[in-house]
């Protein structure tokens, strides 16, 4: 069945589509700078720093232990994993799970996150919905089912209108997510205007274990280290080296640099 | 009086090399990133940059002040160091980083007790500040208290196991005290964190060679070979390979097979050394004579067990 093409007033393009893009973009930039201003300093304790470095050292031992002699590797493995006084066996850290209620700094962080991101989105979305209501803004290039109509066509009460035609509110939300790459271009990576990344973090943060749970990390590291064996990378290094002549090309051809520049 | 006259007569860096201020700034940045310690050059370039082009540098000027100040301390230019420090103090009055620089200036003037007080104040405020702790250890080193410096550095490393600069410093301190076993331990840490750095392998091999004993010699030969594998042009490792292989071959306690293998390694190393000298002498008339000199040198390096 032939679809009747709707011709939109070009004024819509000038006065609706473009302003919404600018508004979204500017609000994003403002959000970024506000988040920088409201950032609170994270103070790490000496113990936390020390523990994270120990974990890194143990991981490096597992991965690159093959570059040191066997004796040295075993010495370090013994230091970490020994039954009676190995580091991972002996050290128990006092772990206080920082739930939002008990830890005041986490509470303020969450509040700040909400205020900077969710609140403006709701406010501006609602304002746009109210200002630019009653007409169709744009058409998405792919066909949608009728289920999407109430969601995307807020304020337009036409039963026969194709679901691909959307209102300005949906154009606003499209912009919020679409301008993410623009923000990366202009504000650099890891910027405060990146909403979807923040929402992802919030979702994964709830599922992830608390970062201060060093005891579990120690236990995991102990297990991993128990399983590692030493495969000396230097077993046949002489044979490998002497299988061909040394590559001395260009060693003496460069002029010595004179002066600073 | 004489020094003032001298400074007026010397041409500026930009005139001598015909470069603009942007190139000077970029050169300083490159030196910062590569961690070069060419303090005299930094002072020359940096002094001109901050006296002539301060307004054009924008926010870069603060890190340049820091870089030039440290270089000035190296060159005994206390006047320049003080100027830079005062500018930094004006801009960042409560900064730990600037406090550390004041401490360094006191160290350069050998006022160690005052410097220690500065660093203690920083540490009271922020116990995780690594820079202040490292400066305190350098004070001990400057005062010649080697064993105390080693002890403090060990304590520091217990807390901050991942600090590679500290491990390297500790290995140097141990070598100075002739405690080669512990120096080897520190170098092993560095080798693990930087498996592709041929210099750590070579240094480790040298320490093992110095320790002596058949097992250590074998290890040193292996690590010299590894250093060569990582960088074919490491001449020191090549000579080290030759020495360790011939040392093992000359030892009376080894089996015939080991002797034969090591003589083969030593011979290979000698050929490579000859090749390198030949390449170096290419195009010069004295090539034939220098080749003979190399042969004689290699022969004289043969270890004879008495």
């Amino acid at each position: 069945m032939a679809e009747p093409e709707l011709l939109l007033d070009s004024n819509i393009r000038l006065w609706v589509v473009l302003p919404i893009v600018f508004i979204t973009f500017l609000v994003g930039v403002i959000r970024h700078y506000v988040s920088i201003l409201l950032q609170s300093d994270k103070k790490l304790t000496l113990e936390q720093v020390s523990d994270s470095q120990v974990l890194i050292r143990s991981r490096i031992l597992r991965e690159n232990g093959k570059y040191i002699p066997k004796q040295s590797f075993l010495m370090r493995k013994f230091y970490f994993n020994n039954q009676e006084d190995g580091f991972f066996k002996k050290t128990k850290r006092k772990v206080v799970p920082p739930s939002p209620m008990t830890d005041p700094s986490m509470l303020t962080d969450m509040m700040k996150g909400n205020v900077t991101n969710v609140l403006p989105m709701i406010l501006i979305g609602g304002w746009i919905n109210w200002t630019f209501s009653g007409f169709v803004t744009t058409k998405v290039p792919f066909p949608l089912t009728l289920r999407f109509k109430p969601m995307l066509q807020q304020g337009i009460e036409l039963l026969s209108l194709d679901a691909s035609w959307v209102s300005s509110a949906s154009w606003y939300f499209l912009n919020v997510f679409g301008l993410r790459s623009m923000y990366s271009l202009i504000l650099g990576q890891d910027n405060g205007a990146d909403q979807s990344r923040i929402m992802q973090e919030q979702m994964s943060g709830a599922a992830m274990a608390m970062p201060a749970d060093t005891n579990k990390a120690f236990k995991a590291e102990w297990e991993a280290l128990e399983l590692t064996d030493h495969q000396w990378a230097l077993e046949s290094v002489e044979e490998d080296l002497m299988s061909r002549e040394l590559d001395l090309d260009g060693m003496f051809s460069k002029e010595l640099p004179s002066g600073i520049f | 009086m004489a020094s003032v006259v001298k400074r007026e007569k010397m041409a500026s860096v930009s005139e001598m090399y015909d470069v603009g201020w942007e190139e000077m700034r970029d050169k300083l940045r490159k030196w910062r990133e590569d961690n070069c310690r060419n303090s005299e050059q930094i002072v020359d370039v940096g002094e001109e940059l901050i006296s002539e082009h301060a307004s054009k540098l924008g926010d870069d000027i603060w890190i340049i002040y820091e870089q030039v100040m440290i270089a000035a301390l190296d060159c005994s230019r206390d006047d320049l160091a003080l100027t830079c420090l005062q500018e930094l103090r004006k801009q960042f009055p409560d900064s730990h980083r600037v406090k550390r620089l004041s401490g360094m200036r006191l160290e350069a003037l050998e006022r160690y007790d005052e410097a220690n007080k500065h660093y203690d104040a920083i540490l009271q405020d922020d116990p995780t500040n690594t820079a202040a702790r490292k400066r305190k250890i350098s004070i001990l080193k400057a005062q010649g208290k080697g064993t105390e410096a080693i002890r403090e550095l060990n304590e520091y490393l217990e807390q901050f196991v991942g600090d590679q600069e500290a491990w390297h410093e500790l290995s140097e301190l141990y070598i100075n005290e002739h405690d080669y076993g512990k120096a080897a331990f520190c170098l092993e840490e560095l080798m693990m964190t930087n498996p592709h750095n041929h210099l750590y392998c070579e240094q480790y091999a040298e320490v093992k060679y110095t320790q002596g004993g058949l097992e250590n010699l074998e290890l040193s030969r292996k690590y010299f070979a590894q250093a060569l594998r990582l960088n074919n042009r490491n001449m020191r490792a090549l000579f080290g390979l030759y020495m360790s292989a011939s040392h093992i071959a000359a030892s009376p306690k080894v089996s015939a097979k080991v002797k034969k293998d090591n003589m083969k390694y030593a011979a290979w190393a000698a050929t490579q050394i000859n090749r390198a000298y030949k390449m170096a002498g290419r195009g010069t008339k004295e090539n034939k004579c220098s080749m003979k000199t190399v042969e004689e040198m290699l022969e004289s390096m043969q270890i004879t067990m008495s």
Side-chain angles (χ1 to χ4, degrees):
Chain A
M1 151 177 143
E3 226 186 69
E5 284 290 344
L6 271 180
L7 195 62
L8 291 179
D9 196 347
S10 59
N11 276 331
I12 290 185
R13 178 191 63 211
L14 195 56
W15 294 107
V16 177
V17 173
L18 292 178
I20 289 187
V21 176
F22 283 137
I23 291 172
T24 327
F25 185 68
L26 289 173
V27 167
V29 171
I30 292 175
R31 257 214 317 266
H32 166 70
Y33 286 117
V34 168
S35 67
I36 289 185
L37 284 173
L38 291 178
Q39 230 172 31
S40 54
D41 274 326
K42 264 199 228 132
K43 276 248 168 145
L44 288 169
T45 65
L46 186 55
E47 203 176 77
Q48 279 176 325
V49 171
S50 174
D51 286 343
S52 60
Q53 292 203 355
V54 170
L55 286 170
I56 292 176
R57 179 170 177 231
S58 163
R59 180 172 58 95
I60 297 233
L61 180 65
R62 272 186 294 123
E63 289 175 5
N64 290 342
K66 55 186 182 191
Y67 293 109
I68 58 178
K70 186 165 188 136
Q71 189 62 19
S72 319
F73 175 81
L74 290 175
M75 186 163 54
R76 288 168 168 85
K77 183 169 166 180
F78 185 81
Y79 162 74
F80 277 124
N81 277 12
N82 183 28
Q83 283 295 6
E84 298 97 43
D85 56 6
F87 185 80
F88 287 143
K89 280 273 171 187
K90 194 176 46 159
T91 331
K92 296 273 174 247
R93 297 274 182 237
K94 215 170 49 145
V95 167
V96 177
S99 84
M101 299 308 138
T102 55
D103 196 357
S105 67
M106 269 215 38
L107 191 59
T108 41
D109 271 339
M110 244 174 53
M111 236 188 60
K112 275 184 219 159
N114 281 336
V115 164
T116 4
N117 294 310
V118 179
L119 210 60
M121 196 162 93
I122 296 178
L123 283 175
I124 301 210
W127 175 76
I128 286 187
N129 206 9
W130 175 77
T131 333
F132 300 110
S133 67
F135 53 84
V136 153
T137 306
T138 182
K139 178 173 193 278
V140 293
F142 42 85
L144 292 172
T145 64
L146 291 168
R147 305 275 302 268
F148 288 98
K149 273 183 79 163
M151 187 166 69
L152 300 173
Q153 287 181 353
Q154 285 264 346
I156 305 165
E157 306 297 339
L158 281 177
L159 288 173
S160 61
L161 188 56
D162 226 329
S164 305
W165 294 99
V166 298
S167 70
S168 18
S170 22
W171 172 243
Y172 169 67
F173 283 110
L174 213 72
N175 268 289
V176 166
F177 292 105
L179 283 172
R180 201 161 47 99
S181 40
M182 283 283 285
Y183 293 141
S184 307
L185 200 64
I186 298 188
L187 299 170
Q189 286 286 57
D190 201 30
N191 58 71
D194 206 342
Q195 269 221 315
S196 60
R197 190 180 60 90
I198 290 168
M199 289 203 275
Q200 259 179 352
E201 268 180 26
Q202 284 180 345
M203 277 188 271
S204 65
M208 193 165 66
M210 288 297 133
D213 204 353
T214 33
N215 284 336
K216 286 223 183 67
F218 281 171
K219 189 152 195 304
E221 205 46 59
W222 178 86
E223 284 172 12
L225 195 53
E226 276 289 303
L227 295 172
T228 352
D229 251 341
H230 182 259
Q231 297 283 348
W232 204 21
L234 270 62
E235 276 301 342
S236 57
V237 64
E238 286 103 348
E239 311 305 321
D240 288 341
L241 180 64
M242 300 182 191
S243 58
R244 63 184 97 86
E245 302 278 304
L246 286 184
D247 178 17
L248 299 169
D249 268 339
M251 196 158 138
F252 302 105
S253 60
K254 270 199 301 224
E255 295 270 336
L256 286 175
S258 59
I260 304 180
F261 292 95
Chain B
M1 194 58 191
S3 62
V4 170
V5 170
K6 187 169 163 204
R7 217 169 285 154
E8 284 184 67
K9 279 211 189 126
M10 264 169 52
S12 66
V13 170
S14 57
E15 280 169 25
M16 269 206 287
Y17 295 98
D18 196 20
V19 289
W21 67 273
E22 294 106 337
E23 281 140 321
M24 289 163 61
R25 177 201 59 190
D26 292 339
K27 197 63 159 179
L28 278 180
R29 183 188 311 143
K30 179 164 175 296
W31 284 334
R32 253 197 326 268
E33 285 165 14
D34 291 340
N35 230 341
C36 301
R37 203 169 170 181
N38 48 342
S39 302
E40 288 200 6
Q41 290 179 332
I42 294 179
V43 162
D44 283 336
V45 175
E47 188 175 19
E48 186 177 324
L49 206 57
I50 54 185
S51 50
E52 314 269 317
H53 308 283
S55 47
K56 300 182 205 137
L57 288 169
D59 271 337
D60 270 346
I61 196 165
W62 309 115
I63 200 159
I64 290 182
Y65 271 136
E66 186 184 32
Q67 187 181 10
V68 170
M69 187 201 155
I70 296 183
L73 289 177
D74 260 349
C75 301
S76 277
R77 287 285 308 274
D78 293 332
D79 52 331
L80 181 59
L82 193 57
T83 330
C84 297
L85 183 61
Q86 280 167 339
E87 291 295 318
L88 284 170
R89 270 203 204 128
K90 263 196 298 198
Q91 178 71 11
F92 304 105
D94 289 320
S95 160
H96 282 162
R97 196 162 156 178
V98 174
K99 229 175 148 104
R100 165 190 165 234
L101 288 176
S102 334
M104 280 174 83
R105 181 176 157 264
L106 291 171
E107 275 183 64
L109 297 171
E110 295 196 2
R111 283 148 67 173
Y112 294 124
D113 293 321
E114 291 180 46
N116 256 321
K117 281 211 201 80
H118 261 84
Y119 298 134
D120 286 330
I122 299 180
L123 283 174
Q124 210 167 28
D125 206 24
D126 176 15
T128 61
N129 189 317
T130 54
R133 291 179 75 155
K134 289 201 259 194
R135 286 322 306 169
K136 289 185 69 162
I137 295 173
S138 339
I139 289 182
L140 288 172
K141 191 175 167 197
Q143 292 175 314
K145 301 178 183 163
T147 31
E148 282 187 44
I150 288 181
R151 197 188 51 210
E152 291 289 319
L153 193 46
N154 265 309
E155 276 180 33
Y156 171 82
L157 276 171
E158 255 176 64
Q159 305 274 347
F160 298 98
V161 209
D163 190 336
Q164 298 184 28
E165 188 183 60
W167 280 113
H168 203 187
E169 188 63 37
L170 187 59
S171 78
E172 260 184 53
L173 288 174
Y174 274 133
I175 290 177
N176 280 335
E177 302 286 325
H178 304 294
D179 196 343
Y180 297 113
K182 302 215 178 83
F185 184 91
C186 304
L187 286 168
E188 280 162 6
E189 290 290 321
L190 287 170
M191 282 202 295
M192 276 203 297
T193 43
N194 305 286
H196 301 293
N197 186 330
H198 63 106
L199 295 170
Y200 291 144
C201 283
E202 184 222 301
Q203 232 179 347
Y204 182 71
E206 285 173 5
V207 168
K208 282 290 171 199
Y209 184 86
T210 320
Q211 269 184 305
L214 193 55
E215 217 177 273
N216 287 329
L217 279 178
E218 295 228 348
L219 269 182
S220 93
R221 188 197 69 220
K222 286 230 178 260
Y223 278 95
F224 276 128
Q226 170 75 346
L228 271 177
R229 189 160 67 157
L230 291 172
N231 179 356
N232 272 346
R233 302 181 186 182
N234 192 334
M235 283 307 287
R236 230 174 127 124
L238 188 52
F239 274 103
L241 179 60
Y242 176 76
M243 294 293 289
S244 49
S246 30
H247 205 151
I248 299 179
S251 157
K253 291 183 252 176
V254 295
S255 67
K257 178 175 187 310
V258 171
K259 203 183 187 100
K260 199 172 79 140
D261 281 339
N262 277 289
M263 291 189 73
K264 186 176 72 164
Y265 299 149
W268 181 88
T271 347
Q272 299 304 316
I273 293 177
N274 272 318
R275 264 188 72 220
Y277 273 96
K278 205 181 287 185
M279 284 186 86
R282 221 176 10 212
T284 58
K285 284 199 213 133
E286 292 88 23
N287 208 359
K288 277 234 159 42
C289 316
S290 58
M291 292 309 297
K292 193 149 189 308
T293 324
V294 172
E295 301 265 351
E296 283 169 12
M297 169 184 68
L298 288 174
E299 284 223 6
S300 70
M301 287 203 303
Q302 290 281 353
I303 316 268
T304 45
M305 307 300 272
S306 51

